[in-house]
Amino acid sequence: MNIALFGYGKMGKMIEQIALDRGHKIVAKIEVDTKEIDFSQMDVAIDFSMPSAAYENITKCFEHKVPVISGTTGWLDKFEEAKKICTDNDSAFIYASNFSLGVNIFFELNQYLAKMMKSLDQYKVSMEEIHHTRKLDEPSGTAITLAEGIINNSDYKGWKLENAAENEIPITAKRIGMTPGTHSIDYTSKVDSIEIKHTAHNREGFALGAVIAAEWIKGKKGIFTMKDVLNLG
Ligand SMILES: NC(=O)C1=CN([C@@H]2O[C@H](COP(=O)(O)OP(=O)(O)OC[C@H]3O[C@@H](n4cnc5c(N)ncnc54)[C@H](O)[C@@H]3O)[C@@H](O)[C@H]2O)C=CC1
Ligand SMILES: O=C(O)C1=N[C@H](C(=O)O)C[C@H](O)C1
């Protein structure tokens, strides 16, 4: 399959390595905003760029009917517009705040736990995410997906990084060294705590998930999620 990489930083390079190992060809590596892109050879585009660049990269691909796998976080204020442009152009799209298999299982576990905790008022939820010091956005996209998973299955109404109200989930974002990505959710009462945690040991899981998603989307039209790709029901 011919893959175009939008963004050739830490993730772009890791994705290239995995895609080549799986027999794919990299037909473009785009690192800056440019008008001279040849879309004709692309079967799928994978965007791991920057919050400020993702929307334009993704929508340009849709206009050329190139399916997109998007992993860039911090641009979701334009998500609905991007989905509309995908549909209008009969293209295909998967966005995931986290492409790793482990985190996608963790998303399911988080929702299941939130449902069980819903009626237990004595427990208060909180979340912590830790990433490397070069990360541009906070909280992480993964933390936002986790917070939405709790909100959709409980009486919590939102999330906040600081000064969370009683019905909001407090999120602490820490930036430490080279940390690839650690997310934990804690339910604490006066007598005990329950904690679930996912720790990425490196970036390989994110990159493999993105390449698997690219293989899966080839030839499809529409808007999908990693739940579809991984058959998580
Ligand atoms: N969904 C997931 O599983 C994961 C998502 N991410 C997200 O992916 C994004 C990239 O992460 P990293 O590779 O670690 O960052 P990075 O900073 O190492 O790489 C970003 C690259 O984008 C390039 N870039 C800047 N403007 C561009 C443009 N207009 N078009 C194309 N490329 C452009 C930069 O030159 C840089 O090489 C971040 O938003 C991060 O949060 C990171 C890991 C996993
Ligand atoms: O920027 C990163 O590195 C990561 N970003 C994603 C996020 O914001 O959740 C996924 C992963 O945690 C690594």
Side-chain angles (χ1 to χ4, degrees):
M1 184 166 68
N2 286 351
I3 297 177
L5 299 176
F6 285 78
Y8 192 59
K10 293 183 284 301
M11 281 302 296
K13 291 188 177 83
M14 178 72 64
I15 289 167
E16 175 182 43
Q17 201 181 311
I18 288 175
L20 293 175
D21 286 349
R22 291 172 74 92
H24 303 300
K25 196 172 159 191
I26 304 300
V27 291
K29 296 174 197 172
I30 291 121
E31 271 221 271
V32 285
D33 185 17
T34 169
K35 289 186 172 45
E36 291 133 37
I37 300 173
D38 177 10
F39 289 90
S40 66
Q41 302 302 310
M42 301 176 188
D43 291 320
V44 179
I46 303 183
D47 184 283
F48 281 75
S49 57
M50 294 178 80
S52 56
Y55 175 79
E56 210 182 316
N57 288 340
I58 293 165
T59 53
K60 262 196 249 171
C61 290
F62 292 150
E63 282 157 12
H64 290 83
K65 300 207 179 299
V66 175
V68 177
I69 303 304
S70 161
T72 308
T73 52
W75 66 276
L76 288 193
D77 50 324
K78 292 193 164 167
F79 190 45
E80 294 307 315
E81 281 173 63
K83 286 199 283 189
K84 185 174 182 317
I85 294 173
C86 173
T87 308
D88 289 351
N89 287 281
D90 222 9
S91 193
F93 187 28
I94 296 176
Y95 165 78
S97 60
N98 198 307
F99 276 93
S100 80
L101 171 63
V103 161
N104 280 278
I105 291 167
F106 190 62
F107 285 154
E108 298 299 307
L109 186 63
N110 170 53
Q111 293 188 43
Y112 183 64
L113 182 57
K115 265 183 222 161
M116 285 198 292
M117 301 306 284
K118 182 175 168 149
S119 58
L120 304 176
D121 294 344
Q122 63 271 43
Y123 288 93
K124 293 289 161 232
V125 76
S126 62
M127 197 185 299
E128 181 183 87
E129 59 100 332
I130 311 173
H131 284 84
H132 53 95
T133 52
R134 306 296 291 272
K135 187 160 177 59
L136 296 178
D137 52 321
E138 71 169 28
S140 66
T142 306
I144 294 173
T145 306
L146 288 165
E148 285 167 352
I150 297 171
I151 292 160
N152 292 336
N153 290 287
S154 71
D155 294 325
Y156 284 94
K157 301 288 181 228
W159 57 264
K160 279 245 175 78
L161 277 168
E162 276 166 18
N163 303 320
E166 188 71 6
N167 63 356
E168 290 172 331
I169 304 161
I171 304 180
T172 305
K174 293 184 176 164
R175 298 291 171 256
I176 303 175
M178 314 269 276
T179 314
T182 302
H183 294 87
S184 50
I185 296 154
D186 178 276
Y187 288 85
T188 290
S189 76
K190 280 198 180 122
V191 296
D192 59 7
S193 293
I194 301 169
E195 187 185 46
I196 57 170
K197 180 174 180 178
H198 178 273
T199 307
H201 298 315
N202 52 53
R203 292 188 173 79
E204 240 177 272
F206 312 138
L208 177 61
V211 175
I212 288 172
E215 291 165 352
W216 185 91
I217 209 169
K218 192 181 168 209
K220 293 189 174 68
K221 289 182 195 312
I223 293 155
F224 306 97
T225 67
M226 277 306 273
K227 244 178 125 158
D228 301 312
V229 177
L230 299 172
N231 234 333
L232 291 176

